[in-house]
């Protein structure tokens, strides 16, 4: 079953996916397939797909599943991912590490990751996954502050 969270006019859907590497080297994402696309047709707000882990090998597949955006973790090389989905109408969200940087890092490390993500061409700056309950509020504020400073907001 899909899990959907409606917040600020965006639905973020997460689903365990069965990913197959076919003999010809292609990647097949089975569980999003036809049923997933039918479900997506009925959702009239922006839709974001998040798959945990290093999704670099399946970025193109993620971008063509019918979602408006794909949420990626810090393991994804953003400039390479942008090259792979350049012709698709899909934005990339992420990839500030929720465990290494936001949870365990200091504000300077957070600011460094934010600047790198923006410099790399991330479309929407966001945590790479769910924010851990014990994440220091100062680190979240540091991410927002760095974003604002970067764009002179």
């Amino acid at each position: 079953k899909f899990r959907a969270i409606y917040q600020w006019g965006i639905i973020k859907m997460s689903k365990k996916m069965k990913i197959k590497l076919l003999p010809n080297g292609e990647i097949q994402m089975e569980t999003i397939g036809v049923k997933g696309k039918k479900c997506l047709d009925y959702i009239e707000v922006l839709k974001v797909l998040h798959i945990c882990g290093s999704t670099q090998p399946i970025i193109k597949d993620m971008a063509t599943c019918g979602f408006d955006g794909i949420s990626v973790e810090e393991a994804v090389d953003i400039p390479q991912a942008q090259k792979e989905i350049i012709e698709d109408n899909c934005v990339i969200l992420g990839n500030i590490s929720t465990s290494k940087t936001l949870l365990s890092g200091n504000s300077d490390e957070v600011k460094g990751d934010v600047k790198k993500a923006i410099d790399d061409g991330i479309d929407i700056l966001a945590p790479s996954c769910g924010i851990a309950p014990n994440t220091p509020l100062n680190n979240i504020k540091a991410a927002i502050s760095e974003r604002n400073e970067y764009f002179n907001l």
Side-chain angles (χ1 to χ4, degrees), residues 34-93:
V34 176
K35 288 182 183 175
K37 285 190 177 182
K38 285 182 182 174
C39 175
L40 294 178
D41 291 342
Y42 294 101
I43 301 171
E44 296 178 359
V45 295
L46 297 175
K47 301 163 288 286
V48 176
L49 172 66
H50 176 81
I51 301 176
C52 293
S54 179
T55 54
Q56 195 81 48
I58 60 169
I59 287 292
K60 180 75 174 162
D61 295 308
M62 289 173 68
T64 57
C65 281
F67 291 86
D68 301 296
I70 55 174
S71 168
V72 298
E73 294 193 7
E74 67 276 5
V76 172
D77 180 304
I78 298 302
Q80 181 61 39
Q82 292 287 13
K83 288 178 193 170
E84 293 177 34
I85 66 167
I86 195 76
E87 69 278 355
D88 296 307
N89 191 19
C90 183
V91 298
I92 302 177
L93 296 80

Side-chain angles (χ1 to χ4, degrees), residues 3 5 15 27 58 70 80 133 138 153:
R3 266 187 343 201
I5 303 167
K15 182 177 183 179
I27 295 172
I58 60 169
I70 55 174
Q80 181 61 39
N138 284 341
L153 300 175

